[in-house]
């Protein structure tokens, strides 16, 4: 009877390990796209709060998460070097997140429009990544299964 018990125990352990491996393989990555399209410090801070809370939540669960804050239209001011009211918070969030796990996307269409209207070049923060179009970036991330939030 001892041999049968050991066999059943071993089969159960193998079965459980295969089930847990299957759960891990099937679990979807956590990815969040946050839209900022308003030149409003409250909205910008809310977006940063949302991102920090999501990062902390999954870090506490020892799970990976990626966040992309996409700015366009008047929201580009969030990432403009000369007008951003949240530059320090952006830097702190970049430091809080694991490298490469948070991105700040700045719409190049908006940047070019602002440069034309203002008659001078505009710089974005060094923590920002220039993307061709903020709206297209949001669309493409959602098409790839990213969750979407608009604060």
């Amino acid at each position: 009877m001892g041999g049968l018990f050991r066999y059943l125990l071993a089969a159960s352990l193998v079965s459980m390990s295969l089930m847990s491996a299957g759960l891990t393989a099937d679990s979807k990555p956590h990815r969040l796209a946050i839209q900022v399209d308003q030149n409003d410090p409250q909205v910008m801070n809310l977006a940063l709060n949302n991102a920090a809370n999501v990062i902390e939540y999954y870090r506490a669960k020892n799970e990976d998460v990626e966040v992309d804050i996409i700015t366009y239209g008047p929201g580009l001011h969030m990432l403009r070097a000369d007008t951003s009211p949240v530059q320090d918070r952006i830097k702190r969030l970049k430091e809080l997140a694991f490298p490469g796990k948070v991105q700040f996307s700045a719409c190049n269409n908006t940047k070019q429009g602002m440069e034309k209207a203002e008659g001078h070049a505009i710089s974005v923060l060094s923590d920002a990544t220039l993307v061709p179009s903020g709206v297209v970036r949001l669309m493409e991330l959602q098409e790839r299964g990213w969750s979407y939030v608009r604060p």
Side-chain angles (χ1 to χ4, degrees):
M1 183 125 162
L4 179 60
F5 178 75
R6 278 185 290 210
Y7 172 78
L8 290 174
L9 179 63
S12 294
L13 291 173
V14 168
S15 176
M16 286 190 296
S17 71
L18 289 174
M19 284 179 10
S20 67
L23 288 174
T24 304
D26 291 341
S27 66
K28 292 173 64 174
H30 305 291
R31 299 174 306 188
L32 175 62
I34 301 175
Q35 171 184 333
V36 176
D37 63 355
Q38 299 173 56
N39 185 11
D40 181 342
Q42 285 184 298
V43 171
M44 295 172 190
N45 277 300
L46 183 55
L48 293 167
N49 291 346
N50 292 162
N53 290 340
V54 166
I55 290 166
E56 287 294 333
Y57 176 83
Y58 286 111
R59 179 175 286 161
K61 293 179 70 167
N62 206 25
E63 295 180 26
D64 215 13
V65 64
E66 293 179 56
V67 176
D68 192 341
I69 298 177
I70 299 102
T71 65
Y72 62 89
L76 183 67
H77 285 280
M78 179 177 186
L79 300 179
R80 280 184 57 163
D82 60 341
T83 61
S84 175
V86 291
Q87 291 184 50
D88 293 338
R89 287 208 61 206
I90 289 170
K91 187 166 287 307
R92 284 195 307 272
L93 184 60
K94 285 286 268 195
E95 292 166 0
L96 167 72
F98 293 111
K101 297 302 179 181
V102 66
Q103 176 171 318
F104 295 91
S105 296
C107 176
N108 194 43
N109 284 340
T110 300
K111 179 180 174 287
Q112 290 174 346
M114 287 180 173
E115 288 174 337
K116 185 176 180 181
E118 295 177 28
H120 61 87
I122 292 172
S123 297
V124 296
L125 301 174
S126 62
D127 291 313
T129 300
L130 208 55
V131 296
S133 166
V135 172
V136 170
R137 174 83 176 152
L138 276 171
M139 283 177 50
E140 290 176 346
L141 291 177
Q142 289 180 71
E143 289 168 354
R144 293 196 313 247
W146 285 57
S147 298
Y148 164 78
V149 170
R150 180 175 184 223

